[in-house]
Amino acid sequence: MREPTVSSLMTREVISADVETPFKDLVELLEEHAISAVPVLDGGYPVGVVSEADLLPKEEFRGGTEDAPGLFAGRDAKHRFEQAAGLTAGDLMTSPVKSVSPGTAASAAARELAETGVRRLFVLDDDGALVGVLSRRDLLKVFVQDDDELRRTIRDEIFGRTLWVDPDTIDVEVTDGVVALQGRLERQSEIDIADHLVRALPGVVDLRNRLQCAWNDTIHPRQTEIFG
């Protein structure tokens, strides 16, 4: 039940460019491979990224022939104007590279993508060499799971091996990744553990937890006296 890591989800064959790759070749790379960005390598190590957004200033400012942004223009506009005159990947790239290690948990990588607003993270090994790329789409692979396989995992791993509960006493249904649980456990704490483990299981879209308990061990005896 271990959470998937970046290594298990990433794309290993990465289309890349060199710092000296010309502007037109960069455009052709993106078009040919239907991708929106490429890492820029220097001596085999990533030093930046060229995306579609880094190439568009060439058209926005017509290669630098349009007027430069005014004195009070923002930093982004001035940066785009400088990119408009760029000829190679080294001129156009955005640095540093947003990266992640192969052993990073999928949830941590998803959080990094959300917080930084980037579309992809480049995967670097301990030496800083490029070994893959992880996109938003790659992370969504965790939800492409067979319902029957999810059901077996919940029954056998969560209830059978983790909670030591006879799986046949719990009704587990999975439809399009949505899990429904029904049955009776000894303690409320066991229900809480099951709830947490099922929700954290890769591929689970949602949980309908209708489990009941014989004893609510999460309420302190003194609370029972006061509110009972």
Side-chain angles (χ1 to χ4, degrees):
M1 292 191 299
R2 287 185 178 181
E3 181 180 354
T5 62
V6 167
S7 179
S8 66
L9 298 171
M10 70 184 187
T11 299
R12 298 180 182 276
E13 295 183 8
V14 184
I15 306 301
S16 63
D18 186 84
V19 287
E20 298 300 329
T21 301
F23 179 95
K24 187 174 181 179
D25 288 355
L26 291 168
V27 175
E28 291 176 347
L29 267 178
L30 299 185
E31 176 68 21
E32 178 183 353
H33 297 282
I35 53 180
S36 60
V38 290
V40 180
L41 306 184
D42 186 4
Y45 292 88
V47 292
V49 179
V50 172
S51 69
E52 294 168 330
D54 295 315
L55 299 174
L56 281 177
K58 183 74 73 175
E59 179 62 24
E60 179 185 358
F61 295 102
R62 301 299 299 161
T65 61
E66 296 293 319
D67 292 338
L71 180 63
F72 299 104
R75 182 182 301 176
D76 288 346
K78 293 177 180 177
H79 176 63
R80 294 199 309 274
F81 182 75
E82 293 172 355
Q83 286 180 312
L87 298 177
T88 66
D91 301 329
L92 299 159
M93 69 184 186
T94 297
S95 297
V97 175
K98 298 294 184 182
S99 64
V100 68
S101 66
T104 301
S107 60
R111 191 173 304 112
E112 178 72 10
L113 285 172
E115 291 177 350
T116 59
V118 297
R119 296 184 178 183
R120 68 201 64 78
L121 296 170
F122 292 100
V123 188
L124 310 184
D125 65 14
D126 292 339
D127 296 324
L130 182 69
V131 293
V133 60
L134 182 79
S135 68
R136 295 172 180 175
R137 182 174 298 177
D138 289 327
L139 280 169
L140 292 176
K141 292 176 185 175
V142 298
F143 293 105
V144 185
Q145 301 244 10
D146 181 74
D147 285 345
D148 290 338
E149 182 60 32
L150 273 178
R151 181 176 181 273
R152 282 192 293 271
T153 300
I154 293 168
R155 278 174 46 86
D156 299 341
E157 298 294 331
I158 293 180
F159 287 104
R161 296 184 182 179
T162 301
L163 293 174
W164 290 9
V165 172
D166 181 357
D168 291 333
T169 65
I170 304 298
D171 183 23
V172 181
E173 295 184 4
V174 184
T175 305
D176 296 331
V178 177
V179 179
L181 300 178
Q182 193 160 330
R184 190 176 182 87
L185 296 180
E186 184 66 23
R187 298 185 296 275
Q188 178 62 42
S189 59
E190 293 175 324
I191 294 178
D192 294 342
I193 293 171
D195 191 288
H196 175 77
L197 292 176
V198 172
R199 290 184 187 277
L201 192 65
V204 171
V205 176
D206 199 6
L207 170 62
R208 307 288 187 261
N209 190 345
R210 302 184 182 90
L211 293 172
Q212 297 181 338
C213 65
W215 171 42
N216 190 345
D217 59 332
T218 63
I219 297 180
H220 191 276
R222 179 59 179 165
Q223 288 178 299
T224 304
E225 294 175 13
I226 295 174
F227 301 107

